[in-house]
Amino acid sequence: MIVSNRLPVDHVSGEGGDAVWRTSPGGLVAALEPVMRERDGVWIGWPGMPDVEFEPFEADGIELVPVQLSADEVEDYYEGFSNDTLWPLYHDVISPPSYHRQWWEAYQRVNRRFADAALAVAAPNAIVWVHDYQLQLVPKMLRDARPDLIIGFFNHIPFPPYGIYSQLPWRRQIVDGLLGADVVGFQRVADAGNFARAVRRLHGYETRGNLISIPLDEPQASADMRHTTTNRRGHRIRTVLARPFPISIDAQAYQKLAADPAIRARAAEIRAELGNPRVVMLGVDRLDYTKGIRHRLKAFGELLDDGVVSPEEVCLVQVASPSRERVDAYAQLRDEVEITVSRINGDYGQIGHAAIHYLHQGYPRNEMAALYLAADVMLVTALRDGMNLVAKEYVATRTDHDGVLILSEFAGAADELRQALLVNPHDIDGLKAAMLHAIQMPQRERARRMRALRRRVLSHDVQRWSATFLDTLVREDHNDPANQLDIPKRPLAAPGYGE
Ligand code: G6P
């Protein structure tokens, strides 16, 4: 059973006003669809609209159970606590988080509703996999009600250092919620470490490597619960495994798109429509303040201002898909980005050669693949990002072993994609130097880097990710050596540009 805030489907209106659903092309669905079909899986989530009641239904062989949210709950649980408290807090307080008790009430209420929906359909010993920051209380709710369940949790976004996390007035309840799981998965080694530190600081529980030991009181100790054992001091404990599982993409699907003649033709057409500049740079993000879009625009604007690049020679395409538009910080960011784009275009554009092509729209996967193929340089300059799948999509699409990836060291993907041009997006001079390096990079170096990047992405796809998570979750022994990590050892800081 999967429990996530959103169902993996988009609602499209059918003929005669009937509800018609189309599975959204996300990697998570692609990875889990076969497993879910094989095992009679159920997916529990919110259909993305307030106040509409849908019966459970089937899409592509998966049983979907919609959870209903009222307009007030969308405001307080989704826009409020999830996206105006937890999101900024977990992304290094780039934007100040708001703490409102009314939002917290709604978060608890809605988490309970998701847990109840799961409990209503969970078979004995069912495997329940809960996803992301919107549902951190669900694991404990499930465990308290049904100790027989095998409960996994995966956090798709970063987990912050304790100095930041400790701002949260409900820091203890959230940690307790997560500790209800048998396995708590994170994107990076650092996230899992931050979580273990929060557990130690708040509870004093012992942590050893990836294992957290929770002392059990008597009634719990006698229950037949998974992962319980007696520690060296003779106390009954339950162990929780907290470790990284870096998420990935359906790499084969992107390779296939790259081989499609229609998509290749579209890529050529995009370049022609841009006026066949020597270099096309591309950014693709949800319009979110964590993505470093303003930093990227500043660096590009300065390169134009310095006269080292011209808009006939180099253009930037920035796709910024609309996101969480009713949250103030997002509305404000949109204004700032749009003012900056217009300034740069006003100052440096020429007739027939806009410096920046800004698209506040979302695109289907085919068009994204064509854009990736058309782009000589891909800019991923997030100030903080759990993983960043755009970086991996770009790499998987470049079957021609060409194209340069500029990647922020603050994105989870930087732990794996070491052959990208790694940047600190706060360092504008460094970012400019990386852009110039990318623009001027000889073909041999581009191919060498891209080959290495592709080896990693193709061998570590989302299918492998979900299989690794589920294998770990069902393994009886938390100390099994098979739980060892598969993440490259790396230096702490990337060699900085201009350092
Ligand atoms: C991030 C989160 C997801 C979320 C997605 C889109 O990737 O980790 O949980 O679904 O953003 O955001 P939205 O608010 O539209 O669901």
Coordinates of all heavy atoms in Angstrom, one line a residue, residues 175 178-179 181-182 184 186 192-200 203-215 227 229 237-243 478:
V175 N 9.0 13.9 15.0 CA 10.0 12.8 15.1 C 9.3 11.5 15.6 O 9.6 10.4 15.1 CB 11.1 13.3 16.1 CG1 11.8 12.1 16.7 CG2 12.1 14.2 15.3
L178 N 7.5 9.8 12.8 CA 8.4 9.1 11.8 C 8.9 7.8 12.5 O 9.0 6.8 11.8 CB 9.5 10.0 11.4 CG 9.1 11.2 10.6 CD1 10.3 12.2 10.4 CD2 8.6 10.8 9.2
L179 N 9.2 7.9 13.8 CA 9.7 6.7 14.4 C 8.7 5.5 14.5 O 9.1 4.4 14.9 CB 10.2 7.0 15.8 CG 11.5 7.9 15.8 CD1 11.9 8.3 17.3 CD2 12.7 7.1 15.2
A181 N 7.7 4.2 11.9 CA 8.1 3.3 10.8 C 9.2 2.3 11.1 O 9.9 2.5 12.1 CB 8.6 4.2 9.6
D182 N 9.3 1.2 10.4 CA 10.4 0.3 10.5 C 11.6 0.8 9.9 O 12.8 0.7 10.3 CB 10.1 -1.1 9.9 CG 8.9 -1.8 10.6 OD1 9.1 -2.1 11.8 OD2 7.8 -1.9 10.0
V184 N 13.0 4.4 7.9 CA 12.8 5.8 7.5 C 13.8 6.2 6.5 O 15.0 6.2 6.8 CB 12.9 6.8 8.7 CG1 12.5 8.2 8.3 CG2 11.9 6.4 9.8
F186 N 15.7 8.5 3.5 CA 16.0 9.9 3.2 C 16.8 9.9 1.8 O 17.3 8.9 1.4 CB 16.9 10.6 4.3 CG 16.2 10.7 5.6 CD1 16.3 9.6 6.5 CD2 15.4 11.7 5.9 CE1 15.6 9.7 7.7 CE2 14.7 11.8 7.1 CZ 14.8 10.8 8.0
A192 N 19.8 11.7 6.7 CA 19.6 10.6 7.6 C 20.4 11.0 8.9 O 19.8 10.8 10.0 CB 20.1 9.3 7.0
G193 N 21.5 11.6 8.8 CA 22.3 12.0 9.9 C 21.6 13.1 10.7 O 21.6 13.0 12.0
N194 N 21.0 14.0 10.0 CA 20.3 15.1 10.7 C 19.1 14.5 11.5 O 18.8 15.0 12.6 CB 19.8 16.1 9.7 CG 20.9 17.0 9.1 OD1 22.0 17.1 9.7 ND2 20.6 17.6 8.0
F195 N 18.4 13.6 10.9 CA 17.3 13.0 11.6 C 17.8 12.2 12.9 O 17.2 12.4 13.9 CB 16.6 12.0 10.7 CG 15.4 11.3 11.3 CD1 14.3 12.0 11.8 CD2 15.5 9.9 11.6 CE1 13.3 11.3 12.4 CE2 14.5 9.2 12.2 CZ 13.3 9.9 12.6
A196 N 18.8 11.4 12.7 CA 19.3 10.7 13.9 C 19.8 11.6 15.0 O 19.5 11.4 16.2 CB 20.5 9.8 13.5
R197 N 20.4 12.8 14.6 CA 20.7 13.8 15.6 C 19.5 14.4 16.3 O 19.5 14.6 17.5 CB 21.6 14.9 15.0 CG 23.1 14.6 15.2 CD 23.9 15.8 14.7 NE 23.7 16.0 13.3 CZ 24.4 15.3 12.3 NH1 25.2 14.3 12.7 NH2 24.1 15.5 11.0
A198 N 18.5 14.6 15.5 CA 17.2 15.2 16.1 C 16.7 14.2 17.2 O 16.2 14.5 18.2 CB 16.2 15.5 15.0
V199 N 16.7 12.9 16.8 CA 16.2 11.8 17.7 C 17.0 11.8 19.0 O 16.5 11.8 20.1 CB 16.2 10.5 17.0 CG1 15.9 9.3 18.0 CG2 15.2 10.4 15.8
R200 N 18.4 11.9 18.9 CA 19.2 11.9 20.0 C 19.0 13.1 20.9 O 18.8 13.0 22.1 CB 20.7 11.9 19.6 CG 21.2 10.5 19.2 CD 22.7 10.5 19.3 NE 23.4 11.4 18.4 CZ 23.7 11.2 17.1 NH1 23.4 10.1 16.6 NH2 24.3 12.2 16.4
H203 N 15.2 12.9 22.4 CA 14.8 11.8 23.2 C 16.0 11.1 23.9 O 15.8 10.3 24.8 CB 14.2 10.7 22.3 CG 12.8 11.0 21.9 ND1 11.8 11.2 22.8 CD2 12.2 11.2 20.7 CE1 10.6 11.4 22.2 NE2 10.9 11.4 20.9
G204 N 17.2 11.4 23.5 CA 18.3 10.7 24.1 C 18.4 9.2 23.7 O 19.2 8.5 24.3
Y205 N 17.7 8.8 22.7 CA 17.8 7.4 22.2 C 19.2 7.2 21.6 O 19.8 8.0 21.0 CB 16.8 7.1 21.1 CG 15.3 7.2 21.6 CD1 14.3 7.3 20.6 CD2 14.9 7.1 22.9 CE1 13.0 7.3 21.0 CE2 13.6 7.2 23.3 CZ 12.6 7.3 22.3 OH 11.3 7.4 22.7
E206 N 19.6 5.9 21.8 CA 20.9 5.5 21.3 C 20.8 5.3 19.7 O 19.9 4.7 19.3 CB 21.3 4.2 21.9 CG 22.8 3.9 21.8 CD 23.1 2.5 22.4 OE1 22.6 2.3 23.5 OE2 23.8 1.7 21.8
T207 N 21.8 5.9 19.0 CA 21.8 5.6 17.6 C 23.2 5.1 17.2 O 24.2 5.5 17.8 CB 21.6 6.9 16.7 OG1 22.7 7.8 16.9 CG2 20.3 7.6 17.1
R208 N 23.2 4.0 16.4 CA 24.5 3.4 16.0 C 24.5 3.2 14.5 O 23.6 2.5 14.0 CB 24.7 2.1 16.7 CG 26.1 1.8 17.1 CD 26.3 0.7 18.2 NE 25.1 -0.2 18.3 CZ 25.0 -1.3 17.6 NH1 26.0 -1.7 16.8 NH2 24.0 -2.1 17.7
G209 N 25.3 3.9 13.8 CA 25.3 3.8 12.3 C 23.9 4.3 11.9 O 23.4 5.4 12.3
N210 N 23.2 3.4 11.2 CA 21.9 3.8 10.6 C 20.8 3.3 11.6 O 19.6 3.5 11.2 CB 21.7 3.0 9.3 CG 22.6 3.5 8.3 OD1 22.9 4.6 8.1 ND2 23.2 2.5 7.6
L211 N 21.1 2.7 12.7 CA 20.1 2.1 13.6 C 19.8 3.0 14.8 O 20.7 3.5 15.5 CB 20.5 0.8 14.1 CG 20.2 -0.4 13.2 CD1 20.5 -1.7 14.0 CD2 18.8 -0.4 12.7
I212 N 18.5 3.2 15.0 CA 18.0 3.9 16.2 C 17.4 2.9 17.1 O 16.5 2.1 16.7 CB 17.0 5.0 15.8 CG1 17.7 6.0 14.8 CG2 16.4 5.7 17.0 CD1 16.7 7.0 14.1
S213 N 17.7 3.0 18.4 CA 17.1 2.0 19.4 C 16.1 2.7 20.2 O 16.5 3.7 20.9 CB 18.2 1.4 20.3 OG 19.2 0.8 19.5
I214 N 14.9 2.2 20.3 CA 13.9 2.9 21.1 C 13.5 2.0 22.2 O 13.1 0.8 22.0 CB 12.6 3.2 20.2 CG1 13.0 4.0 19.0 CG2 11.5 3.9 21.0 CD1 11.9 4.1 18.0
P215 N 13.7 2.4 23.5 CA 13.4 1.5 24.6 C 11.9 1.3 24.6 O 11.1 2.2 24.3 CB 13.8 2.3 25.8 CG 14.4 3.6 25.3 CD 14.2 3.7 23.9
H227 N 11.2 -6.2 14.7 CA 12.4 -5.5 15.0 C 12.5 -5.1 16.5 O 13.0 -4.0 16.9 CB 12.6 -4.2 14.2 CG 12.5 -4.5 12.7 ND1 13.4 -5.4 12.1 CD2 11.7 -4.1 11.7 CE1 13.2 -5.4 10.8 NE2 12.1 -4.7 10.6
T229 N 14.2 -6.4 20.1 CA 15.3 -7.3 20.6 C 15.7 -6.8 22.0 O 15.2 -5.8 22.5 CB 16.5 -7.2 19.6 OG1 17.6 -7.8 20.2 CG2 16.9 -5.7 19.3
I237 N 14.2 -3.4 23.3 CA 14.2 -2.2 22.4 C 13.6 -2.5 21.1 O 13.5 -3.7 20.7 CB 15.6 -1.7 22.2 CG1 16.5 -2.8 21.7 CG2 16.2 -1.0 23.4 CD1 17.8 -2.3 21.0
R238 N 13.1 -1.5 20.4 CA 12.7 -1.7 19.0 C 13.7 -0.9 18.2 O 14.1 0.2 18.6 CB 11.3 -1.0 18.9 CG 10.6 -1.3 17.6 CD 9.2 -0.6 17.6 NE 9.2 -0.1 16.2 CZ 9.1 1.2 16.0 NH1 8.9 2.1 16.9 NH2 9.1 1.6 14.7
T239 N 14.1 -1.4 17.0 CA 15.0 -0.6 16.2 C 14.3 -0.1 15.0 O 13.4 -0.7 14.4 CB 16.2 -1.5 15.7 OG1 15.7 -2.6 15.0 CG2 17.1 -1.9 16.9
V240 N 14.8 1.1 14.6 CA 14.3 1.8 13.4 C 15.5 2.0 12.5 O 16.5 2.5 13.0 CB 13.6 3.1 13.7 CG1 13.2 3.9 12.5 CG2 12.3 2.9 14.6
L241 N 15.4 1.7 11.3 CA 16.6 1.9 10.4 C 16.3 3.2 9.7 O 15.3 3.4 9.0 CB 16.6 0.8 9.4 CG 17.8 0.7 8.4 CD1 19.1 0.4 9.1 CD2 17.6 -0.4 7.4
A242 N 17.3 4.2 9.8 CA 17.1 5.5 9.2 C 18.3 5.7 8.2 O 19.5 5.8 8.7 CB 17.1 6.6 10.2
R243 N 18.1 5.6 6.9 CA 19.3 5.6 6.0 C 18.9 6.2 4.7 O 17.7 6.3 4.4 CB 19.9 4.3 5.8 CG 18.9 3.2 5.3 CD 19.6 2.1 4.6 NE 19.7 2.4 3.2 CZ 20.0 1.5 2.3 NH1 20.2 0.2 2.6 NH2 20.1 1.8 1.0
H478 N 17.5 -6.0 10.9 CA 18.0 -4.6 10.6 C 19.5 -4.6 10.6 O 20.1 -3.7 10.0 CB 17.5 -3.6 11.7 CG 16.2 -3.0 11.3 ND1 15.4 -2.3 12.2 CD2 15.5 -2.9 10.1 CE1 14.3 -1.9 11.6 NE2 14.4 -2.2 10.3

